[in-house]
């Protein structure tokens, strides 16, 4: 069964500093990978996704992530944090369920990003 | 205007009651999902459906039920068997294995 591990439930950075949010996954087949952002009391918004092709993917708001198959990782980065980046971030993996009949989307527990002035 | 509509936004349930959360979409997506969100727990999958009249249990299906009679609709019933229903519930849709789109959520509170 697929699983997603996000290292660090809470990450705090200074404004202008590098943001690095870690995500590792387990999947029996090459998965599709996603990062989502959630602001308080709202739904989730897609930041970026990896399906096939280039392993470095760029998303909205200056975020990017690199798929590393050998490390089963999909870490999210942003060179310079902005106050508006403060939110909760979720990594997710999509692949076939155990019956092989349906796609199942599994999320990590989330990382709360705090940006200090 | 395309999107996913969850209603109500806030819902209060008395102990022992069943309540139904609505999720409607006009994106023409085949797949629909229900997730439960608790602080520090991330999103946990309750039920999902890829086609009409078919759905699968997720990781925490006990105490919940769903139906998929129409492509556009995937209501979730929280039954009295769910002992700790207070949470934020999110509905999502997807087309095949592409990214999921989320509604704005329903916050359920037991009173």
């Amino acid at each position: 069964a697929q699983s997603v591990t996000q290292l660090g439930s809470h990450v705090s950075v200074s404004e202008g500093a590098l943001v690095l949010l870690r995500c590792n996954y387990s999947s029996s087949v090459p998965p599709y990978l996603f990062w989502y952002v959630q602001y308080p009391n709202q739904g989730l918004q897609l930041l970026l996704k990896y399906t096939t092709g280039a392993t470095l993917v760029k998303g909205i708001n200056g975020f990017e992530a690199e798929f590393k198959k050998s490390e089963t990782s999909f870490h999210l980065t942003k060179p310079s944090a902005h106050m508006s980046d403060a939110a909760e971030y979720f990594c997710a993996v999509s692949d076939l369920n155990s019956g092989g009949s349906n796609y199942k989307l599994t999320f990590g527990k989330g990382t709360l990003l705090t940006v200090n002035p | 205007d395309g999107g996913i509509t969850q209603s109500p936004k806030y819902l209060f349930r008395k102990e022992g009651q069943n309540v139904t959360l609505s999720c409607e979409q006009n994106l023409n997506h085949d797949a629909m999902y229900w997730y439960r969100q608790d602080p520090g727990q991330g999103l946990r999958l309750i039920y999902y459906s890829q086609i009409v009249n078919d759905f699968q249990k997720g990781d925490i299906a006990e105490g919940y039920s769903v139906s998929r009679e129409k492509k556009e609709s995937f209501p979730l019933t929280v039954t009295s068997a769910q002992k700790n229903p207070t949470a934020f519930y999110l509905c999502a849709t997807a087309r095949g294995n592409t990214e999921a789109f989320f509604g704005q959520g329903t916050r359920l509170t037991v009173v």
Side-chain angles (χ1 to χ4, degrees):
Chain A
Q2 69 227 63
S3 65
V4 179
T5 302
Q6 291 184 238
L7 267 177
S9 59
H10 188 191
V11 169
S12 182
V13 300
S14 299
E15 192 172 19
L18 171 71
V19 175
L20 171 61
L21 305 182
R22 299 179 187 275
C23 174
N24 289 88
Y25 69 90
S26 69
S27 176
S28 57
V29 296
Y32 286 10
L33 295 158
F34 309 90
W35 274 100
Y36 287 85
V37 61
Q38 185 183 34
Y39 298 98
N41 294 312
Q42 293 189 23
L44 276 67
Q45 178 185 4
L46 181 70
L47 274 179
L48 49 79
K49 64 181 178 182
Y50 169 79
T51 54
T52 58
T55 57
L56 180 65
V57 293
K58 296 185 185 298
I60 62 172
N61 301 338
F63 284 94
E64 61 182 39
E66 187 171 11
F67 169 58
K68 292 187 176 181
K69 185 178 178 181
S70 61
E71 298 177 9
T72 60
S73 68
F74 191 56
H75 302 329
L76 182 71
T77 60
K78 181 173 180 178
S80 177
H82 191 271
M83 297 295 289
S84 61
D85 294 327
E88 190 155 23
Y89 292 80
F90 292 93
C91 181
V93 59
S94 176
D95 65 14
L96 287 170
N97 65 0
S98 56
S101 58
N102 294 290
Y103 290 109
K104 185 179 173 186
L105 188 60
T106 302
F107 285 82
K109 293 186 184 298
T111 298
L112 182 64
L113 176 66
T114 303
V115 182
N116 303 307
Chain B
D1 205 27
I4 303 161
T5 302
Q6 288 189 243
S7 61
K9 189 171 176 67
Y10 298 96
L11 185 58
F12 298 90
R13 189 194 98 164
K14 292 182 180 178
E15 301 244 4
Q17 267 186 343
N18 292 356
V19 291
T20 298
L21 284 60
S22 171
C23 179
E24 302 280 331
Q25 57 115 345
N26 60 7
L27 300 171
N28 200 33
H29 287 171
D30 292 314
M32 297 188 75
Y33 302 83
W34 273 107
Y35 291 91
R36 171 180 171 142
Q37 187 176 21
D38 299 279
Q41 296 287 326
L43 276 71
R44 293 182 290 170
L45 183 62
I46 306 172
Y47 270 98
Y48 59 113
S49 168
Q50 297 285 338
I51 57 173
V52 173
N53 293 323
D54 188 47
F55 46 83
Q56 287 73 44
K57 292 182 178 180
D59 301 314
I60 56 164
E62 186 174 348
Y64 300 96
S65 66
V66 293
S67 63
R68 188 86 187 274
E69 296 176 1
K70 300 184 302 181
K71 187 175 184 178
E72 301 79 19
S73 178
F74 192 42
L76 174 74
T77 297
V78 184
T79 75
S80 57
Q82 172 48 243
K83 296 306 177 191
N84 185 22
T86 295
F88 190 51
Y89 290 87
L90 286 161
C91 176
T93 72
R95 188 171 50 240
N97 200 21
T98 61
E99 69 269 24
F101 294 82
F102 283 82
Q104 291 299 296
T106 293
R107 187 164 297 280
L108 174 62
T109 304
V110 173
V111 295

